[in-house]
Amino acid sequence: KELIRVIRTPEGEILIDATGKKNGRGAYICNDKSCLAKAKKSKALERSLNVSIPEEVYQRILKV
């Protein structure tokens, strides 16, 4: 529960999966601003999901 699951749906949409059961390719990130900044800088989510991540997705993750 201390990790946030971010998924790429089969349609290519990037979502935050609060239930942990949505369909799609998932990646986990810790719920910490410094952890998110490090993942953003190293493009870890982009590599895991094989898609470019828009800035608004990072903003939504910060609000969770």
Side-chain angles (χ1 to χ4, degrees), residues 13-26:
E13 189 177 5
I14 306 297
L15 300 173
I16 298 170
D17 182 11
T19 64
K21 298 181 181 182
K22 288 186 180 177
N23 211 10
R25 177 156 180 92

Side-chain angles (χ1 to χ4, degrees), residues 28-58:
Y28 291 88
I29 187 164
C30 58
N31 193 5
D32 183 46
K33 288 183 182 183
S34 64
C35 185
L36 180 62
K38 184 177 178 183
K40 183 177 176 182
K41 184 176 179 182
S42 67
K43 300 186 183 224
L45 283 177
E46 293 183 8
R47 282 195 315 270
S48 294
L49 299 176
N50 297 323
V51 68
S52 63
I53 308 291
E55 180 62 32
E56 63 224 19
V57 172
Y58 288 112

